[in-house]
Amino acid sequence: MTTSRRFKLALTAGVAAFALSALPVGFDSATMSLDQGAVWAGNGNGQGNGNGNGNGNGHGNGHDTVANNGHGNGHGHGSTSSDMGALNAAHASETALDNASPNSRVGKIATYKEAELAAQQATADAAAADQEVADAQAELDAALAANADEDPLNDVDDATIDGLEQDLADAEAAAAEADEAAEAAQDEADDALVDAANKDITDENGDVLSDIRDAVNDLLGI
């Protein structure tokens, strides 16, 4: 064989080898055909990447959750307003409340407002009276403690002790009276609120529901 022919054969073999190396992994060199399983496997991988769109479902669920939460909050607020019924008229202007007929809905709410303000003042007075009791008790305790120690120079005489005890008794009596007045004033205000309502706003014990009272007071600005 001549040198030129051997060179051509070697060149042809090299080109064939290069072509085989460039074929996909799925090429079956034994049968000189494509491996269909490998081809479909490649397509399968492509489908797998497509499933990444499942993240879109997660986003959708999150959106629904936010919407549901928003609906829940709005429903809670609406329930209070619905339970108030005609008491929603408490948002009337100050002028309307002052000039309303006593027997009208707004007029009855105005009556409640006056009674509630009186009850709030009575409650503040009761708290102040309770503080006076605490102060009187502290003074008496300090005097008794001074007489109980071993230093005779800070002893408090009996007349002073008697006076402190009387002050405490007077403060306790005044506090008890203030507490009763505050309770009576709140009862009167609650009765006025029930009279102004067009539906039941009391619990099983007959007491006005605190959230209803608070909502009306909020509308009245008191």
Side-chain angles (χ1 to χ4, degrees):
M1 182 181 294
T2 65
T3 302
S4 175
R5 183 174 178 77
R6 285 197 299 270
F7 175 78
K8 290 180 178 180
L9 288 174
L11 179 60
T12 300
V15 171
F18 176 80
L20 286 174
S21 65
L23 288 173
V25 176
F27 184 82
D28 189 344
S29 59
T31 63
M32 298 300 291
S33 63
L34 291 177
D35 185 346
Q36 295 297 323
V39 173
W40 285 111
N43 290 338
N45 291 335
Q47 294 292 338
N49 292 334
N51 287 339
N53 292 331
N55 292 334
N57 291 334
H59 176 72
N61 290 337
H63 179 73
D64 289 341
T65 300
V66 172
N68 288 336
N69 288 339
H71 175 72
N73 292 336
H75 178 70
H77 178 73
S79 295
T80 301
S81 179
S82 176
D83 292 340
M84 289 173 61
L87 293 178
N88 284 289
H91 63 66
S93 67
E94 193 70 28
T95 301
L97 291 169
D98 291 340
N99 297 325
S101 171
N103 293 325
S104 67
R105 186 72 59 188
V106 174
K108 290 181 178 181
I109 292 175
T111 299
Y112 162 73
K113 179 181 180 180
E114 183 178 354
E116 178 65 11
L117 286 173
Q120 292 178 4
Q121 182 59 57
T123 299
D125 293 342
D130 290 339
Q131 184 59 51
E132 289 184 6
V133 171
D135 293 342
Q137 184 67 64
E139 289 186 34
L140 177 59
D141 291 344
L144 294 176
N147 288 350
D149 64 21
E150 297 179 356
D151 185 2
L153 298 179
N154 64 3
D155 282 354
V156 179
D157 59 82
D158 290 342
T160 300
I161 295 294
D162 290 342
L164 293 174
E165 289 178 341
Q166 186 60 51
D167 290 343
L168 176 59
D170 292 343
E172 289 176 337
E177 183 177 347
D179 288 341
E180 290 180 3
E183 183 176 353
Q186 190 60 63
D187 287 342
E188 182 177 350
D190 287 349
D191 289 343
L193 186 58
V194 170
D195 184 55
N198 67 330
K199 57 174 58 181
D200 185 15
I201 58 171
T202 61
D203 60 18
E204 62 275 9
N205 297 319
D207 298 323
V208 169
L209 297 170
S210 60
D211 58 336
I212 298 296
R213 183 194 299 116
D214 292 344
V216 173
N217 289 353
D218 185 60
L219 289 177
L220 291 171
I222 61 176

